[in-house]
Amino acid sequence: MMKKGNMLYEGKAKKIFETDNPDLIIQEFKDDASAFNALKTGTIVGKGVVNNSVSCKIFSFLEASGIPTHFVEKLSEREMACRKLDIIKVEVVVRNVAAGSLVKRYGFEEGADLEFPIVEYYLKDDALADPLMNESHAMLLNLASAEDFVVLKSQALKINALLVDYFFKRNLKLVDFKLEFGRHHDKIFLGDEISPDTCRLWDVGSGKKLDKDRFRFDLGDIEESYLEVQKRVLAD
Ligand code: TMP
């Protein structure tokens, strides 16, 4: 059993702790919610428990499907043990259906199926409000090399194909989602979380939004929607 050490970092939705093993950290999920670059903040009761259980389930599914991830094991309701990554400051977004900033920025109609998935990159920098960028920006900022981008893009598209199918079997449409990657002993691993905070998930039958958009746009039923996603993801 590993020992939980000092807190290394506190983010908006998680705390990261060191352990007695220098290769491992503990991710602890909070109920704190934030949106629009932290202009809107609040609490979603039980969110940390849902996001930890959903992330653990999905990361172990991805590992079993051949994707290298930071996931090691679920430790408790709100804690997962992970490989310690040196996070690449590039947020990778994959989209299957038009929503969110894609609609705002380019005028796609919300809900329109995209003919093929779009992969986008954002600079992970709160002070700059996570601007959209391309590979050249990221390379000139020394965040990742051209070879790294081959890995990021191919892994993101593989993960997308796996998750579209995984969620569809649970009556959820994977509209879009955000991934973070990091380095561990010179290899790139998938990091962070995959949860209703970082994915748009719509009920297949009704189209009801079951993700953080309920918090962003005050749609109500927030806790119930997170629990519904947890129930469907953990079923089987
Ligand atoms: P967007 O439409 O606002 O660009 O978001 C695309 C997807 O990425 C959506 O599923 C929410 C997720 N996302 C995050 O997880 N963190 C972020 O900071 C942003 C901007 C989006």
Side-chain angles (χ1 to χ4, degrees), residues 12 91 93-95 99-102 105 120 122 130 175-178 197-200 212 216:
K12 284 169 272 189
E91 299 193 347
V93 168
V94 185
R95 303 176 183 277
S101 69
L102 191 75
R105 194 173 284 126
E120 295 174 343
Y122 292 84
D130 296 352
V175 170
D176 56 33
F177 59 100
K178 186 260 300 180
D197 270 11
T198 63
C199 301
R200 285 196 175 90
K212 204 165 91 174
R216 290 189 186 96

Side-chain angles (χ1 to χ4, degrees), residues 77-136:
E77 263 199 328
R78 288 177 185 272
E79 294 170 311
M80 71 194 261
C82 303
R83 290 178 188 86
K84 185 177 186 176
L85 303 186
D86 186 9
I87 287 288
I88 298 169
K89 295 200 172 303
V90 177
E91 299 193 347
V92 181
V93 168
V94 185
R95 303 176 183 277
N96 299 298
V97 176
S101 69
L102 191 75
V103 170
K104 269 201 154 170
R105 194 173 284 126
Y106 302 104
F108 285 92
E109 189 190 337
E110 187 184 48
D113 284 318
L114 303 174
E115 221 175 294
F116 52 85
I118 297 178
V119 180
E120 295 174 343
Y121 306 111
Y122 292 84
L123 174 61
K124 185 173 161 63
D125 185 336
D126 287 338
L128 295 172
D130 296 352
L132 180 67
M133 65 177 175
N134 64 29
E135 295 182 28
S136 301

Side-chain angles (χ1 to χ4, degrees), residues 223-235:
E223 280 84 2
E224 294 83 342
S225 299
Y226 273 69
L227 286 171
E228 182 60 29
V229 170
Q230 172 173 255
K231 187 175 123 197
R232 294 190 198 183
V233 167
L234 297 190

